[in-house]
Amino acid sequence: MEQWNPIQSHDPIPDRVGAVIVGGGIIGMSIAFEMARRGLQVLVLERDGIGSGASGVSAGMLAPVSEAEHETSPLARLGLHSLDRYPSFVRAVEDVSGIPCDLRLEGTLLVARTRDDEAELLHLQGIQRRLGLVAEWLDAREVLQREPHLSPRIHGALFAAREGQVDPRAMLRSLHAAVRGLGGRVRTGAPVERIEPGRGGLVVQGRVGDVRGSVWCEVAVLAAGAWSDAVRHPGPALRVRPVKGQILRLTGCGLLRHVVRAPDVYLVPRSSGELVVGATVEERGFDPHPTAGAVSDLLWAARLLVPGIYDCALQEVAVGFRPATRDALPVIGPTHVPGLYVATGHFRHGVLLAPATAELLAETITTGRVHPLLEPFSPAARVEARP
Ligand code: GLY
């Protein structure tokens, strides 16, 4: 069974650089790209490999509407903005790298298997309407016309037409090539241990293997996902914990066109024919082990929706660690320490929020003004509001 191999990158580490991005997930790499695009010299330092945390195993659903919980939620607004920015962001990355990210915006089908599911989806439809979004209710016959391999026992589905997906592994490869294509440097296997003020800027200390070293920079961005608390720094305590997710990849399917979700499972069909089936949400710290129970639950739930998956090949079982704060909202913006910024805690929304986080944070860094969409997530606001 194949497993994801995070990208390795061995650029030399300079003594001084404009900006150090700590973390080579989709958030860190997107920020590095946006900063390099603005002419800054960037260095990404990643403790393991590019995409080794949450991004490399994630399904890549772009679903701010499906996941909207409160119609006035700043997170829903940031998510919708990020979804709007996706096509031009991906185009810019692809233009530099030449590597497609497989962005697809065919919409999401939120399938009701029971009457309870249906009532819950109709409530969600109300929220979507208040957000100004058209989300269409389809009866079972209409759903099956669009997706004939779904179970005939379904009740209907809500169709969120604007949503879609991107292939996070392709996007990480594309971002890696694009950052380097713009003259940025990316070094994997380089855990950062400490960031502290020094020599009129910031000194980032870490190691490569057993060799310790430091880099001086004007700007440091802490974007280390679930590992953000492992870096000592004088900024606010972030309190990010890992939330384990197990996710499966099936091949030989070709059964679906849209992203399909039900309360206990989601299915994401890639252009390559791969079908991603996710995902568990587990409070088990950094436990890296896949479990028989999770695989069995996910396959069972997926099979209730799409009986034909029975004949697909089980290609991969992967474990990822979503970075979650106590209130499940991200922390993005400047800290009280000059030059030190954070972008972490994206929990279930890292792939969706990558363009908005990167563009708005890069704008904040270069102009000194925090964009209104980022204000609710600024470290100062979040620390005060923290329970
Ligand atoms: N965004 C989907 C997940 O976290 O499983």
Side-chain angles (χ1 to χ4, degrees), residues 145-223:
Q145 271 168 1
R146 290 175 198 230
E147 290 290 4
H149 291 284
L150 284 175
S151 161
R153 300 169 74 100
I154 61 163
H155 279 238
L158 200 56
F159 181 48
R162 280 185 60 197
E163 296 189 342
Q165 57 154 308
V166 71
D167 181 344
R169 294 177 178 176
M171 189 159 158
L172 285 163
R173 279 191 283 272
S174 197
L175 279 164
H176 176 242
V179 168
R180 298 183 76 239
L182 292 171
R185 296 181 188 192
V186 181
R187 182 65 183 239
T188 56
V192 167
E193 294 167 345
R194 190 181 200 113
I195 305 171
E196 59 185 25
R199 291 181 268 143
L202 292 165
V203 179
V204 177
Q205 299 169 8
R207 61 185 169 79
V208 176
D210 292 336
V211 181
R212 288 182 189 283
S214 65
V215 189
W216 181 91
C217 57
E218 285 167 50
V219 167
V221 182
L222 181 51

Side-chain angles (χ1 to χ4, degrees), residues 13 49 56 68-69 104 118-119 124 137 160 186 228 253 257 272 344 355-356 365:
I13 301 177
E69 280 166 20
R104 293 171 48 181
E118 187 174 332
L124 181 64
W137 178 257
V186 181
S228 296
C253 301
R257 272 191 331 114
S272 62
T344 188
I365 292 170

Side-chain angles (χ1 to χ4, degrees), residues 5-50:
N5 284 318
I7 302 157
Q8 301 301 327
S9 188
H10 300 289
D11 292 335
I13 301 177
D15 294 335
R16 301 169 67 88
V17 71
V20 173
I21 318 299
V22 182
I26 205 132
I27 295 293
M29 293 303 291
S30 298
I31 293 168
F33 174 72
E34 278 301 322
M35 292 179 70
R37 241 187 353 149
R38 286 163 169 77
L40 285 145
Q41 279 183 306
V42 299
L43 166 68
V44 178
L45 294 175
E46 159 55 43
R47 52 175 290 284
D48 189 346
I50 301 303

Side-chain angles (χ1 to χ4, degrees), residues 54 58-63 67 243-247 261 266 278-281 322 346-352:
S58 68
M61 287 181 296
L62 306 177
E67 300 205 354
V243 176
K244 177 179 175 182
Q246 300 189 52
I247 191 161
R261 298 176 70 123
Y266 52 75
T280 62
V281 181
R322 307 174 182 89
H346 289 73
F347 193 33
R348 299 180 63 109
H349 311 289
V351 178
L352 168 68

